[in-house]
Amino acid sequence: DEGLYTVGPSAREPGPGAMSDPRAVRCGTSNVCSFWVFGTQVYATRHDLAGTVVGPTNVPLLSSPVYDVASLGTYLVLAYQQGTRVYVTFYNPATMIAQSTTSFPATTSYLRVVIDASYAWVYTLEGSWVRRYRISLSPGVGWDGATRNVVLTDIPFDVVASSATWHYVSSVNPLVHNAVYLTAVSNADVIDSATVTTAPAGSTLRDPTLGVGGGSYLVAWAENGAAVANRRVRVSQRYGFAGAQSIFTLRTGYTTNDLTSSQDLAMDLQYRGDNTFLLSSIETASGTSAGEVRAYDIQVSPTGRSISAYTVEPLASAYHGAPVIGLTGRPDLIFYRSPSGSQASRRPLGC
């Protein structure tokens, strides 16, 4: 159903130069904040829900290209690697002024952070382990001192905190990269894992991302191989963590093209509400460093789905991700590195 949604005009994100590694989150109830890396510096800009920049603008926050950001209500938290420690800083989402910082000893090449009503949780990639660290939201408390091994992988993974009790991790097995896993992790460190898929002969798997909401669990990933038929963007849908799943293909002949050193997933899956998920991806047919920014609107039910697909940008950097913010009742927002390779861009979707 190509073209059922419209794509609004692109707008340039403010910044000092060629920016990369975008992140985007809701900042309070009426704003969206975007984050970009220039050199090793992370910059932040605040927008209204229409995508208009309202400030503060282009605020330098920290120096680290290995970072992630999460928000909940009045909390805005950034986790980042510096030296042999991971730092967690809480910011005022309206002013982008740091409120408090804590840290713990770890060296990671990639990390994710999620937040619930009591804690910020940092998931790091250390060697071939995803490890989890719990940080209290109470001032002065910080890390609880425990390190928890979650799942084995050696490439970027995704994490969703769907409730105050359970988190979910999508990952690919290390070294051979021929299986995708969905792992449930409770706040009490109970871990349950399910195999989502195994790769067909001649393919490897990457960029696992997930969305959870309305009782549904969606995991998306890219398959890559020498044959055109082995290059696919695929999604698993299940109703309930232990429910039966169905796997469907969004596109054949295209895949993602991550560098092994990339700090980004090339796909981002978000639950918008009303049993609807929004998937963004940067897809390439030729294996070059350029790709198409794509978006998929996926309406699900316990027995099926309805999908609309559209091209957001026909030529963009394939290595820097395209985070998307799903906004109920208004156009969604997507952020990506634009065709020139030197411009950070955003667009409204479904407007």
Side-chain angles (χ1 to χ4, degrees):
D1 294 327
E2 184 86 31
L4 290 182
Y5 282 72
T6 56
V7 178
S10 65
R12 182 166 186 165
E13 287 279 274
M19 298 192 294
S20 63
D21 304 290
R23 303 286 189 272
V25 296
R26 290 288 295 267
C27 286
T29 59
S30 57
N31 294 102
V32 170
C33 292
S34 63
F35 303 82
W36 299 82
V37 174
F38 174 68
T40 61
Q41 186 77 42
V42 176
Y43 290 85
T45 293
R46 193 165 65 109
H47 313 74
D48 64 21
L49 297 184
T52 303
V53 173
V54 295
T57 302
N58 198 28
V59 179
L61 299 183
L62 53 98
S63 181
S64 175
V66 179
Y67 83 106
D68 195 30
V69 59
S71 66
L72 180 68
T74 60
Y75 289 101
L76 175 65
V77 58
L78 273 78
Y80 51 98
Q81 175 77 52
Q82 282 188 348
T84 58
R85 301 186 72 84
V86 170
Y87 290 82
V88 181
T89 298
F90 294 90
Y91 289 86
N92 182 318
T95 64
M96 298 295 177
I97 295 174
Q99 305 296 298
S100 64
T101 298
T102 188
S103 69
F104 54 85
T107 301
T108 180
S109 59
Y110 173 85
L111 58 79
R112 301 306 299 259
V113 61
V114 295
I115 191 170
D116 60 32
S118 301
Y119 301 98
W121 306 78
V122 182
Y123 288 75
T124 62
L125 182 56
E126 300 177 48
S128 292
W129 273 110
V130 174
R131 292 189 169 128
R132 182 171 79 162
Y133 301 83
R134 184 170 68 179
I135 311 297
S136 174
L137 300 186
S138 300
V141 176
W143 175 45
D144 68 2
T147 302
R148 301 157 180 88
N149 291 336
V150 177
V151 68
L152 288 165
T153 191
D154 56 3
I155 61 176
F157 56 89
D158 202 5
V159 183
V160 167
S162 68
S163 70
T165 305
W166 288 95
H167 300 169
Y168 298 93
V169 181
S170 57
S171 61
V172 171
N173 59 336
L175 301 178
V176 291
H177 303 156
N178 65 357
V180 174
Y181 295 98
L182 174 62
T183 302
V185 190
S186 77
N187 284 2
D189 298 325
V190 175
I191 296 177
D192 189 12
S193 188
T195 302
V196 175
T197 191
T198 55
S203 293
T204 56
L205 310 177
R206 58 194 180 202
D207 290 310
T209 184
L210 80 159
V212 180
S216 292
Y217 297 71
L218 268 64
V219 180
W221 66 92
E223 297 180 357
N224 186 49
V228 171
N230 286 1
R231 296 197 292 270
R232 298 187 292 182
V233 177
R234 309 198 78 196
V235 178
S236 160
Q237 176 190 346
R238 65 179 73 201
Y239 193 75
F241 179 79
Q245 73 168 355
S246 61
I247 294 177
F248 55 96
T249 299
L250 292 175
R251 202 178 191 192
T252 299
Y254 288 78
T255 186
T256 60
N257 194 19
D258 268 354
L259 292 171
T260 56
S261 60
S262 174
Q263 302 305 317
D264 300 296
L265 289 169
M267 306 173 75
D268 186 26
L269 183 58
Q270 299 288 331
Y271 180 64
R272 183 197 284 125
D274 297 327
N275 296 312
T276 304
F277 293 80
L278 184 63
L279 173 66
S280 63
S281 60
I282 302 182
E283 302 169 13
T284 175
S286 60
T288 65
S289 60
E292 297 178 0
V293 180
R294 297 274 290 180
Y296 301 89
D297 186 89
I298 307 171
Q299 179 84 32
V300 301
S301 72
T303 58
R305 72 204 65 91
S306 174
I307 302 168
S308 298
Y310 43 112
T311 298
V312 176
E313 175 63 59
L315 185 65
S317 170
Y319 298 143
H320 295 289
V324 67
I325 300 291
L327 300 171
T328 302
R330 63 172 57 244
D332 307 307
L333 292 173
I334 189 169
F335 298 82
Y336 58 93
R337 182 164 167 165
S338 60
S340 65
S342 62
Q343 181 175 318
S345 298
R346 65 185 183 277
R347 283 181 186 265
L349 305 176
C351 53

